[in-house]
Amino acid sequence: MAKHQIVAIDIGTNAIKRAQLEQTASGIRLVGAEIEAYPRKDAMEEVTYETILQALRNVWGKVQGRKHAVALSIPRLLVTSRRLTNLPAAATDEQLSDLVAMQAETELPFRIENAVYDYHDVRRSARGVS
């Protein structure tokens, strides 16, 4: 039955929430749910990456079964999406990866060391790549 299950994890600004759902012949069944609030004195106290990681480990440790599809949600405040245009049309895939890395450094509103970035939906035309 594990192949008909999904685990949804929401990494929020105040807690991590998990819902484990299973599709059965009679519908969708809630297998388990968990909320792990970040331990802090007040709402203005910054949450460290270590605190988030520990809360995620605690929540994940209560997942029933072994292999599941996972849907992950993170706060919009921590996500930046940019469209890069006018990249050279002759760029190889390897060069394109390097170009995106250089652009990410100038486009992101935070230090590149604190970022995880990727690119997709490459569109090549005679005029360039975006």
Side-chain angles (χ1 to χ4, degrees), residues 72-109:
L72 183 64
S73 168
I74 57 177
R76 177 66 178 107
L77 179 65
L78 299 177
V79 177
T80 299
S81 177
R82 296 284 194 264
R83 183 177 187 158
L84 306 177
T85 58
N86 300 323
L87 297 173
T92 65
D93 288 341
E94 185 177 308
Q95 291 168 331
L96 189 57
S97 178
D98 293 339
L99 287 168
V100 168
M102 288 189 311
Q103 280 289 113
E105 195 163 5
T106 62
E107 293 285 330
L108 294 175

Side-chain angles (χ1 to χ4, degrees), residues 13 38-49 51-52 114:
T13 54
Y38 305 134
R40 55 186 181 179
K41 296 176 184 97
D42 59 56
M44 298 305 291
E45 182 181 345
E46 186 173 330
V47 179
T48 65
Y49 294 120
T51 299
I52 294 170
N114 297 332

